[in-house]
Amino acid sequence: MAEPECVGQPDAVLLAPLTEDTFLHNLHVRYKHDIIYTYVGNALVSVNPCRTLPLYSAELVRAYLARPPYQLPPHLYAITATAYRWVRDRNESQCIVITGESGAGKTEAARVCLQCAVVAGERGAELTAAGTLLEAFGNAATARNHNASRFGKLLEIEFDFKGEPVGGHITHCKYIHQPTIFDTSLSALGFIRLHTPKERVCGGVLDGERNFHVLYQLLAGADVHLLKRLRLKRSWEYYRMLRGAVEEGGGASASPRRAPPQQVAPAPRAAAQDRDHFAFTTAAMRALGFSGSECDAVLRLLAFMLKLGNVEFEPQHNIDGSIGTRVQHQYGQSPGRAPPRAARGPCSRRALVCAELVEACALVGVDADELAAALGAPDLDAPRDAESSEGSEETGACSSPESSTESWAGALRDQLVSVLYSRLFTWLINNVNAALHPRTPGKRCAIGILDVYGFESLASNGLERLLINYAAERVQAAVTAATLRREQDEYVREGLAWRPLHYTEHELHAELLDAGPDSVLGVLRDCSARGLGDGAFLQRLQRRRHPRLLVLPPDHFQIVHFGGAVVYSARGIVAKNRDQVCRRCCGVLGAAREPLLAALFAGALERACGGSPRRPAALACRQRALVGALVRRLPPAPRLVRCLRADAALRPHRFDAALLRHQIRSQGSVPYDPYLLPSRAVYGTGS
């Protein structure tokens, strides 16, 4: 592979002078010739081309593994091959850290590095399958990125003394995990329905977004027999979790006097692509040793979540004068349509109540009466038989005025679905790690590939965005400090004369978020533990008087991150941080006849009966612990890959200089000093 002559400098350190303008011009010149990789010393800068380029092949991998770096053009293969040679020849573990904003191409870069590292060895197929499976269950589409990672992961590939991959381990960072259990006796008025992307799996998606890929893959790729067994419909528009509009009121249906919410198509992705990817996902599960019964159980749980998300509620006046909720009557799909003539009358109407709930519970062996009661509805006197509802296409919906009780019941339903998906994802991670575990004991060297959340700033930002940006900020600070500290310490040892550089700016950005009780996450943790509200949270932030923190009345605050200023909504942020879910609902799922579902909620039944009173940590605490664990696993000299997005709308052949300049400044892609990131090679190894 040879680059065209006179197409910029392959290593930006050779630019004279090396400034922000010359660096940006060099990237532009190379980008116009479809050359997306450029060295900056030992680091690699990758500009997302937003289209497929013929840059990857098995022959090219072997070429980079056989020749020393800098004898071939800059490439992700070169970074991975250099790390591999250090593991094989020097017996030193390596780590490739991939950073960048959302949409910069980090997921694709991690996939390319993985393919290069496992090109040889019998366990390479299993490691590749692990990446495919986790991408299906852990990635979704946002307004800025069609394949955005909703979790951070460190994939460690272990090698034997011959340099062949023998296993691996995945450390994941996903904060939708193990929510607090609370009793349904809490006041319904005290629970706030929260419409934010954190509850992407349960509360619908925003304009131009999609839920997790596997949900669309299941509907597009399953054959008619599988869809019939799972009692699913082919169209994703039938399921509230997948539609592009979220109704007000926490799950209550709109009144028939109002127009239904306009449907918004998800991010561009062809149904044929989802169908093909479903085949890849199921093949990956088989390659990782999942049994047929386990694969079927996972699909049943996905179908259960899709159907449970369609259950809606309406108010009910109890005999004692109080107002409760019950599962809303449903006649099918189209809101506002009258039931079929044969279904009219009190008996038929009663038989058609809660068809979705009954079918969902029948899939996993859950008692529909108990789940309906736990969600705030009365027992179902005569639930409709699951088989009798198949094939019904005509639908209707009863009117339901918006009320706090409906919002509360809808919030319980959404939280339950969110908890179930999170625990299913963690179960998948644990099983993947068991499948990738080396077959022989012993301590080995490894190559780690760290792919964390990208920095995000959208039109609406809540707790999810805050924790995502916190993870990106903490990793950025750790990598920058480690790189600059290592270089300057070596200059001191060698007695070189240079201008000392300060690298505390990124650390100060991260410390604003989590350093001490007065930090943003510290205040959030304290307010959650003491039962305070959003107003108290904002008041304590305002007393902080930090130059990078600004409170914007009535319910917003702004934080200046390394990637720019982001305005967050504080509405419901304290309640969301507690991450509470109904104890009684978890107990019902823990008693399911489906073994996998019962295992995911194994301890919930005991807690529902009064055992295990300890409250799990809040979201911010868990995210801080997970990110800290990832950062501590980083070696002192990670290999850096800086990913940049060339266009905000991910259009090919576009080069937005202002956008790239902002990313260059925030990531520190241009070294502070031309000699700070020199090209290094260890004599005798060609590395």
Side-chain angles (χ1 to χ4, degrees):
M1 175 183 176
E3 290 185 0
E5 296 183 0
C6 302
V7 183
Q9 286 286 0
D11 192 336
V13 173
L14 301 178
L15 293 173
L18 175 55
T19 64
E20 187 178 275
D21 291 333
T22 59
F23 180 74
L24 187 61
H25 175 73
N26 187 59
L27 289 182
H28 191 192
V29 170
R30 295 171 64 80
Y31 185 79
K32 288 190 297 185
H33 290 80
D34 291 337
I35 303 174
I36 62 174
Y37 298 121
T38 303
Y39 287 128
V40 185
N42 282 343
L44 180 73
V45 173
S46 171
V47 183
N48 187 359
C50 306
R51 60 193 178 97
T52 303
L53 295 177
L55 300 178
Y56 315 103
S57 66
E59 293 77 9
L60 198 57
V61 170
R62 287 189 285 269
Y64 275 93
L65 289 173
R67 300 176 64 179
Y70 303 108
Q71 291 188 7
L72 291 172
H75 202 288
L76 280 168
Y77 289 161
I79 296 293
T80 310
T82 301
Y84 172 76
R85 281 190 288 269
W86 276 61
V87 169
R88 183 192 61 191
D89 302 335
R90 296 172 58 86
N91 199 31
E92 294 184 12
S93 294
Q94 299 290 297
C95 184
I96 301 172
V97 178
I98 304 172
T99 63
E101 292 187 358
S102 179
K106 299 185 302 301
T107 299
E108 181 65 25
R111 185 188 299 116
V112 171
C113 292
L114 174 61
Q115 292 171 351
C116 179
V118 301
V119 68
E122 60 181 14
R123 307 209 65 182
E126 295 179 6
L127 291 162
T128 303
T132 301
L133 181 63
L134 297 185
E135 184 175 330
F137 280 85
N139 287 28
T142 67
R144 298 182 58 185
N145 186 0
H146 298 162
N147 190 29
S149 297
R150 299 292 89 189
F151 72 108
K153 67 178 181 296
L154 173 62
L155 172 59
E156 295 173 291
I157 309 167
E158 298 186 14
F159 295 86
D160 61 10
F161 68 96
K162 296 181 294 184
E164 293 187 0
V166 295
H169 184 271
I170 297 172
T171 303
H172 81 292
C173 176
K174 187 172 188 288
Y175 67 88
I176 311 176
H177 182 56
Q178 292 182 351
T180 303
I181 305 297
F182 73 95
D183 201 320
T184 52
S185 60
L186 291 178
S187 170
L189 298 178
F191 195 93
I192 302 175
R193 172 73 174 105
L194 302 164
H195 288 301
T196 65
K198 180 262 180 184
E199 293 167 333
R200 171 183 306 276
V201 71
C202 55
V205 291
L206 303 179
D207 294 359
E209 297 190 350
R210 283 182 22 139
N211 214 309
F212 292 106
H213 294 329
V214 69
L215 299 174
Y216 300 90
Q217 293 175 10
L218 172 60
L219 298 179
D223 57 38
V224 292
H225 302 291
L226 179 57
L227 286 178
K228 186 175 181 179
R229 288 203 309 271
L230 299 178
R231 298 181 173 90
L232 294 175
K233 299 183 183 297
R234 179 74 69 184
S235 175
W236 59 266
E237 296 177 346
Y238 181 77
Y239 299 99
R240 189 184 65 91
M241 288 167 47
L242 309 183
R243 293 199 292 262
V246 181
E247 301 171 9
E248 297 294 335
S253 65
S255 170
R257 291 186 295 270
R258 300 181 181 180
Q262 183 180 2
Q263 297 298 319
V264 181
R269 193 162 190 169
Q273 188 177 6
D274 284 327
R275 183 168 57 250
D276 295 340
H277 286 186
F278 180 71
F280 299 152
T281 301
T282 53
M285 295 183 71
R286 292 192 297 269
L288 290 167
F290 286 82
S291 65
S293 60
E294 288 176 330
C295 294
D296 292 341
V298 170
L299 298 182
R300 283 195 296 271
L301 290 189
L302 294 178
F304 173 74
M305 287 183 275
L306 286 172
K307 298 182 77 64
L308 185 60
N310 276 0
V311 175
E312 297 181 347
F313 303 91
E314 60 186 5
Q316 171 180 271
H317 295 272
N318 299 324
I319 194 171
D320 60 356
S322 62
I323 299 179
T325 59
R326 64 179 178 184
V327 177
Q328 190 182 62
H329 298 262
Q330 295 180 354
Y331 294 97
Q333 179 178 354
S334 303
R337 294 188 61 179
R341 184 176 301 275
R344 296 177 185 174
C347 296
S348 298
R349 181 180 180 86
R350 180 181 178 186
L352 287 171
V353 171
C354 322
E356 288 281 32
L357 179 61
V358 173
E359 290 184 358
C361 292
L363 284 172
V364 293
V366 171
D367 190 295
D369 293 334
E370 293 184 3
L371 184 57
L375 291 173
D379 293 342
L380 302 176
D381 296 331
R384 183 187 179 191
D385 183 70
E387 284 76 7
S388 65
S389 64
E390 291 186 14
S392 176
E393 297 295 336
E394 298 189 21
T395 62
C398 295
S399 62
S400 174
E402 298 178 359
S403 66
S404 59
T405 55
E406 297 171 75
S407 301
W408 179 70
L412 286 183
R413 172 206 59 209
D414 290 351
Q415 282 283 52
L416 189 63
V417 174
S418 178
V419 172
L420 175 55
Y421 192 89
S422 175
R423 296 189 181 188
L424 176 62
F425 185 84
T426 303
W427 178 84
L428 287 171
I429 290 280
N430 294 336
N431 280 266
V432 168
N433 282 333
L436 297 181
H437 193 272
R439 299 187 177 100
T440 57
K443 186 177 181 180
R444 303 174 181 85
C445 292
I447 294 179
I449 302 175
L450 178 60
D451 175 20
V452 295
Y453 309 99
F455 178 80
E456 293 182 346
S457 177
L458 302 181
S460 176
N461 304 293
L463 180 61
E464 180 200 31
R465 210 78 59 197
L466 176 62
L467 297 183
I468 284 176
N469 291 340
Y470 161 70
E473 190 118 57
R474 177 53 69 188
V475 171
Q476 178 77 12
V479 170
T480 302
T483 302
L484 300 185
R485 184 185 298 114
R486 183 186 75 250
E487 295 294 339
Q488 297 191 81
D489 289 347
E490 185 166 349
Y491 292 170
V492 171
R493 290 194 302 270
E494 296 181 1
L496 300 178
W498 94 105
R499 183 178 68 258
L501 300 173
H502 300 285
Y503 46 83
T504 59
E505 183 176 359
H506 285 84
E507 293 181 338
L508 290 176
H509 280 78
E511 289 176 357
L512 168 63
L513 294 175
D514 73 343
D518 292 332
S519 63
V520 175
L521 296 187
V523 172
L524 183 59
R525 290 193 299 268
D526 186 62
C527 291
S528 300
R530 297 171 58 186
L532 302 179
D534 303 331
F537 170 71
L538 289 176
Q539 289 176 4
R540 290 190 55 179
L541 290 186
Q542 194 165 18
R543 290 200 298 266
R544 177 72 189 273
R545 298 186 181 278
H546 194 281
R548 295 189 178 93
L549 176 63
L550 177 64
V551 175
L552 304 173
D555 54 6
H556 287 76
F557 61 97
Q558 175 181 285
I559 297 177
V560 180
H561 295 276
F562 74 94
V566 181
V567 176
Y568 298 97
S569 172
R571 186 176 302 172
I573 192 171
V574 177
K576 177 179 285 293
N577 185 55
R578 297 191 189 103
D579 203 23
Q580 297 174 330
V581 71
C582 175
R583 183 191 302 268
R584 186 178 177 186
C585 292
C586 291
V588 172
L589 297 188
R593 292 191 298 273
E594 171 61 57
L596 176 56
L597 181 59
L600 296 180
F601 291 87
L605 198 57
E606 176 187 353
R607 289 191 294 269
C609 298
S612 184
R614 182 180 178 183
R615 172 179 294 180
L619 283 179
C621 296
R622 299 201 298 271
Q623 179 77 338
R624 184 173 183 268
L626 291 171
V627 173
L630 286 179
V631 170
R632 285 192 297 272
R633 295 180 73 94
L634 294 179
R639 301 187 180 274
L640 306 182
V641 177
R642 307 286 199 185
C643 295
L644 306 175
R645 57 185 300 168
D647 182 71
L650 298 180
R651 295 168 295 183
H653 307 291
R654 302 295 181 95
F655 192 89
D656 189 337
L659 177 64
L660 282 159
R661 188 183 299 274
H662 168 73
Q663 296 173 79
I664 289 170
R665 290 176 178 175
S666 62
Q667 291 193 39
S669 299
V670 179
Y672 300 88
D673 189 290
Y675 303 100
L676 192 58
L677 293 177
S679 302
R680 297 177 176 273
V682 179
Y683 292 103
T685 66
S687 301

